[in-house]
Amino acid sequence: MRVNGIHYKTVWMEGSSVFLIEQNKLPFSFEIYEAKTCADTCNAITTMQVRGAGAIGCTAAFAMAQGFSEAPEIGFLDAVNRAKAKIEATRPTAQNLFYATNFVYGQAMAASNPREEAVKAANQVLAKDTRDSRQIGQFGASLIQDGWNVATHCNAGWLAFSDFGTALSPVYIARDQGKKLFVYADETRPRSQGGRLTAWELRHEGIPHAIIPDNATAALMAAGKIDMMFVGADRIAANGDVANKIGTLEKAICAQQFDVPFYVAAPTSTFDLSCASGTDIPIEIRHQDEVHYVSGPDADGILRRIRITAPGSDAYNPAFDVTPARFITGIITEIGILKTHEIVEKIGDLHERI
Ligand code: MRU
């Protein structure tokens, strides 16, 4: 997608460095961060300088390539395995991270020149992510009728992938097809990926939208103001249960109550068939300070962090929830729109290919 007239991917590799759009600085400033080592790149994932399932996957792929380049001749295998373990310990829920490290590792280890092959494989992960996101947009756009109001949660736009995104890709493609639409982006406390990132993306793309409080969705659905809802996914179990940003489950329950079609958009690399159901998906619990504090520029433009909760109280901060398959109208993937009961049959051995 374009920012100030320049086309950007969310993450890319040049030489031995990984470059990424610094998402913690958005929407207040647009900066590129250079991660010079595998350790820097791991830190960028942990601190959420880069976030979102697909973007985490692409970044992990490049971190794996850095791990191969940095490994010394003596003790090569041990060093590469340590790097892989370190990357995989950065964040636990998004399946794309594990998909990416395993793919790059497998391709590189099978080659006579593992360091070069790792870079090539990481770029393949990125290229597939972009292709899949675009294709998801094509399938998803067919569901949107001219004049509809679409709701989304968190940020599953192009910032959360390498380009296009998943939940927002249908919106971008429908706009390109000439359909008029309006997007409600909920703020997505505690980190506000909706209010900060989705709104920033939509504004840059010229899509009419409004940020709504997290707790406004039911009221808007009850008033008939939302025609459909698209969300992303961090991991999808074999039975169609979907782990996604905390709050997704509430939206899905509301959508069912008010007969609003509720679609999950995710590439097949997000499916983890080793999880029989959502209860097998590890849920990241993040630091309580994300609930207690917010940050943003003051009137003088200086970024400040302020406490917004009662001093002395503890907070509990699960980053994801699991939406049971029965609440999901369909899952939009790069191979088509699947019903949750079709997953095992349709996804099958796709994970071995790229
Ligand atoms: O914690 P984050 O921001 O990395 O959360 C992941 C997500 O971006 C959302 O859950 C999103 O809706 C899934 S698709 C990128």
Side-chain angles (χ1 to χ4, degrees):
M1 296 305 226
R2 297 174 85 78
V3 181
N4 303 326
I6 300 170
H7 181 261
Y8 286 93
K9 295 276 185 191
T10 310
V11 56
W12 67 95
M13 191 169 188
E14 270 172 42
S16 56
S17 287
V18 176
F19 293 85
L20 46 95
I21 294 175
E22 221 302 9
Q23 299 198 35
N24 285 333
K25 298 276 173 79
L26 286 172
F28 307 112
S29 72
F30 181 79
E31 293 175 26
I32 305 299
Y33 172 74
E34 178 179 2
K36 294 187 175 153
T37 63
C38 178
D40 288 347
T41 309
C42 288
N43 190 52
I45 299 174
T46 309
T47 58
M48 295 182 70
Q49 287 170 284
V50 60
R51 40 64 50 202
I56 292 174
C58 296
T59 308
F62 289 129
M64 196 69 255
Q66 287 176 312
F68 272 93
S69 342
E70 290 166 16
E73 281 306 326
I74 297 167
F76 181 78
L77 189 58
D78 276 355
V80 164
N81 285 336
R82 272 199 307 277
K84 184 169 185 281
K86 186 174 164 65
I87 300 162
E88 291 180 344
T90 52
R91 294 198 65 192
T93 305
Q95 171 63 9
N96 292 66
L97 186 152
F98 304 94
Y99 168 81
T101 51
N102 284 324
F103 179 76
V104 174
Y105 184 88
Q107 295 293 108
M109 291 307 262
S112 55
N113 51 347
R115 292 187 178 88
E116 291 78 12
E117 190 60 33
V119 174
K120 195 171 137 203
N123 277 304
Q124 279 177 275
V125 170
L126 181 93
K128 176 174 163 51
D129 181 87
T130 301
R131 255 191 342 265
D132 290 351
S133 294
R134 193 179 158 72
Q135 192 57 52
I136 285 168
Q138 297 285 355
F139 285 124
S142 68
L143 300 166
I144 303 176
Q145 290 182 26
D146 191 30
W148 268 14
N149 294 336
V150 176
T152 189
H153 180 58
C154 191
N155 172 259
W158 71 268
L159 287 166
F161 289 80
S162 55
D163 212 342
F164 296 99
T166 52
L168 291 187
S169 186
V171 166
Y172 297 138
I173 304 280
R175 181 271 318 267
D176 293 346
Q177 291 169 347
K179 292 177 188 165
K180 295 219 177 330
L181 66 170
F182 187 91
V183 177
Y184 287 108
D186 67 37
E187 51 179 348
T188 321
R189 281 277 295 145
R191 290 187 69 95
S192 301
Q193 290 95 327
R196 294 168 79 114
L197 304 177
T198 296
W200 180 84
E201 273 195 32
L202 293 171
R203 199 172 58 75
H204 270 265
E205 288 298 316
I207 308 263
H209 65 280
I211 301 165
I212 55 171
D214 278 330
N215 38 15
T217 308
L220 267 67
M221 285 183 178
K225 287 185 190 295
I226 295 175
D227 296 299
M228 71 187 316
M229 182 144 196
F230 287 121
V231 298
D234 292 274
R235 197 183 296 216
I236 303 176
N239 72 342
D241 291 352
V242 169
N244 192 49
K245 181 52 57 191
I246 191 77
T248 305
L249 173 59
E250 290 176 12
K251 316 288 169 198
I253 294 169
C254 292
Q256 191 167 80
Q257 173 66 29
F258 295 110
D259 284 328
V260 172
F262 185 89
Y263 285 93
V264 171
T268 54
S269 48
T270 303
F271 290 76
D272 179 1
L273 301 190
S274 75
C275 292
S277 76
T279 52
D280 299 322
I281 300 176
I283 300 295
E284 178 179 12
I285 308 297
R286 292 189 63 84
H287 199 282
Q288 60 171 310
D289 280 359
E290 288 183 350
V291 179
H292 293 312
Y293 294 90
V294 293
S295 64
D298 218 331
D300 56 9
I302 310 241
L303 218 56
R304 289 202 170 76
R305 183 172 182 261
I306 54 163
R307 183 160 182 132
I308 54 164
T309 58
S313 291
D314 281 336
Y316 176 61
N317 186 17
F320 302 94
D321 58 26
V322 172
T323 299
R326 67 179 182 281
F327 291 105
I328 297 165
T329 312
I331 304 183
I332 309 164
T333 72
E334 78 278 13
I335 60 166
I337 302 171
L338 309 183
K339 290 287 175 197
T340 49
H341 65 266
E342 296 176 316
I343 289 172
V344 175
E345 175 207 341
K346 293 266 170 74
I347 303 292
D349 66 351
L350 267 179
H351 288 178
E352 301 308 317
R353 297 183 248 135
I354 195 153

